[in-house]
Every structure is written in C-alpha cells, then in structure tokens.
Amino acid sequence: MINSVEAAAKILLRSKYIIALTGSGISAESGIPTFRGKDGLWSKYKPEELATPYAFARNPKLVWEWYSWRMKLIKEAKPNPAHITLAKLQNMRIIKTLITQNIDDLHERAGSRDIIKLHGDIFTVRCINCIFTQKLTNPPIEIPPKCPRCGAYLRPDVVWFGESLSPEIINKAFIEAEKADAILVIGTSGVVMPAGLIPKVVKDNGGKVIEINIEETVITSYADLFLKSKAGEILPKIFEKIMEIRRSRHV
C-alpha cells in the first residue's frame, strides 16, 4: 500500500488538470448509509416507494418522512478525513474540480467550494408547481412542506428514479472530464449513469484514473491505479506524500 500511495502522489504531481468524482462510499465513512450493498438503504426500502415522482404524487407525507429522517442523519454526521483532504487539495488548486453523486453537504462542510452536484442537494427544496426554491438548514417542520408562494407541495431538489439529470450540470461535468489528465474516483460503484461515464471520458482522452474503494467496481478494470482502502485512511496518506515530495524538490 505504501508503494500505491507514492504512485498515486506521483501521478497527481505530474498531472496538470485533476478532477475528483465521489460517490456514497465516501459519506458511508461518516455514518451515512449507502444506497447499495447489504446494508444499503435499498435493502430496507423500495426505491419505487420513496424516490420517484410517482411515489411523491401518491404519498408525499411518506416520502418526506423518509427524507426528513435522512436529513437528520446527515446533520448529525461530520465530514471525515477524506472529505477534509479533498477540500485541502481543492483549495490548493491541486484538484481543479470536485464532482459528486452525493446529495449531502459533507463536502461543503469540509471546506470544498463550487462543487458539481450531479444528483442534487437534499437540503434544497423546490415547488412542484412554480419556480420557488429554497435552501434549508434543518428538516422542514411541516410534513409535507408547502410552497409559500402558491401553496403547492415542495419536494427535495434531488434526482429521483425516472428523472433526468440537469443537462447544464451534467454537461459541465463532462466538460471538466474532457479537460482532465487525471481523475480521483472515490467510493462510487460506477454503475449509475451518466456519472459512471466520467472516469471513462478521462481515460479515453489519455488521462490517468486513480480509484479508491473498499471493493472492486466496473471502473477497476481500466483504472491505472486501484487502492483498495477506505478513502478516509488512504487520502490523508496520499496528501502527506504529495507534501513530502514537494518539500524534497525545494531542498
């Protein structure tokens, strides 16, 4: 693993335009359940009952009770060393762009800025009838919440099953992928599209793919470097190695 840490650091130091893509695995280390796997949210709930437009139309109270519970979990969670290290790398301009599939706010709370959130933000709500949107700091008191402008229901501003990603947001992500000569892929299964194509775009353009995950994924087969580890354990080591190499060059 020491050699892998050094190899990752050297790839990142050689690269000119690095981006990062994170999935639910990075937030799982902060205690937020993933959607897949034996302990994932979908092992306990049916997505068609909780995360589709049809589900919301049928029972908005049930959907909101579930999202309110998830918001409370996220509020209680804290950014882990992986979130914090990514924020450091981004603020140092080593990582140019951070793209996430997560709808939580742990990257922001760790200090990252200008994040491309592919699947929306659980703490933002929007009206199903008019253009009203609002950023929340806590779960809504009224369940389900209603729009202060038109009285229609508000919904979480996240991408549900059966819905398309915002063309503007996904296009922005792919533009970044096309510019990148390296990508850190952290805690994502790579099976959710079109997010799963982002590392492939970097690879096809001649860039390096560094994958960090606790298990192999569909990305592993073409990754230049696969680090089988928790992100919170390995990313700080990569950061320290980057700093060590930088210091040695200036001695």
Side-chain angles (χ1 to χ4, degrees):
M1 186 61 75
I2 293 173
N3 291 337
S4 297
V5 166
E6 186 169 350
K10 287 181 176 178
I11 288 173
L12 296 177
L13 283 168
R14 285 196 302 266
S15 302
K16 304 295 184 186
Y17 202 97
I18 304 161
I19 66 173
L21 172 67
T22 66
S24 60
I26 192 171
S27 293
E29 294 180 41
S30 291
I32 297 175
T34 63
F35 276 69
R36 291 170 176 79
K38 64 179 182 179
D39 296 320
L41 288 171
W42 296 144
S43 68
K44 300 174 184 177
Y45 304 96
K46 293 181 179 179
E48 63 271 16
E49 292 178 358
L50 296 167
T52 67
Y54 173 74
F56 188 77
R58 183 182 59 197
N59 195 338
K61 186 173 185 292
L62 174 65
V63 171
W64 259 113
E65 284 173 348
W66 189 61
Y67 273 92
S68 179
W69 168 72
R70 291 179 64 196
M71 291 166 83
K72 289 173 185 174
L73 278 182
I74 293 166
K75 287 277 292 183
E76 292 168 1
K78 294 180 180 179
N80 63 60
H83 294 106
I84 293 166
T85 302
L86 285 174
K88 287 180 181 178
L89 289 168
Q90 190 184 14
N91 291 332
M92 291 171 67
R93 299 300 295 158
I94 292 174
I95 289 177
K96 298 295 190 288
T97 303
L98 178 59
I99 305 167
T100 188
Q101 295 169 267
N102 299 335
I103 61 174
D104 61 58
D105 63 350
L106 294 182
H107 281 304
E108 290 97 324
R109 284 158 56 192
S112 288
R113 296 292 179 267
D114 300 321
I115 305 158
I116 299 177
K117 305 192 82 164
L118 297 175
H119 297 154
D121 183 343
I122 195 170
F123 287 103
T124 300
V125 293
R126 62 180 172 89
C127 181
I128 62 171
N129 181 60
C130 71
I131 60 171
F132 178 81
T133 63
Q134 184 179 30
K135 180 78 172 180
L136 304 179
T137 54
N138 292 292
I141 297 173
E142 180 187 15
I143 300 292
K146 293 181 179 178
C147 176
R149 287 187 180 177
C150 72
Y153 286 132
L154 298 174
R155 56 161 283 180
D157 193 13
V158 298
V159 179
W160 280 334
F161 288 89
E163 295 182 328
S164 299
L165 274 65
S166 159
E168 180 183 351
I169 291 173
I170 194 62
N171 286 342
K172 186 177 180 181
F174 277 111
I175 288 170
E176 291 299 300
E178 288 169 1
K179 290 193 288 187
D181 56 1
I183 182 171
L184 275 168
V185 186
I186 303 161
T188 177
S189 64
V191 299
V192 177
M193 297 298 163
L197 295 174
I198 292 171
K200 195 72 169 61
V201 170
V202 177
K203 182 72 173 181
D204 289 346
N205 286 339
K208 299 292 186 181
V209 177
I210 301 171
E211 182 185 19
I212 299 172
N213 210 315
I214 57 173
E215 57 188 8
E216 293 188 0
T217 70
V218 295
I219 297 164
T220 311
S221 62
Y222 62 84
D224 295 278
L225 191 61
F226 173 62
L227 287 77
K228 189 174 184 179
S229 172
K230 290 183 177 179
E233 294 175 1
I234 201 73
L235 270 173
K237 293 178 181 177
I238 294 172
F239 179 81
E240 287 305 317
K241 181 57 68 171
I242 288 172
M243 295 298 102
E244 179 186 321
I245 294 172
R246 275 186 158 189
R247 286 192 296 268
S248 68
R249 290 176 179 176
H250 289 89
V251 172

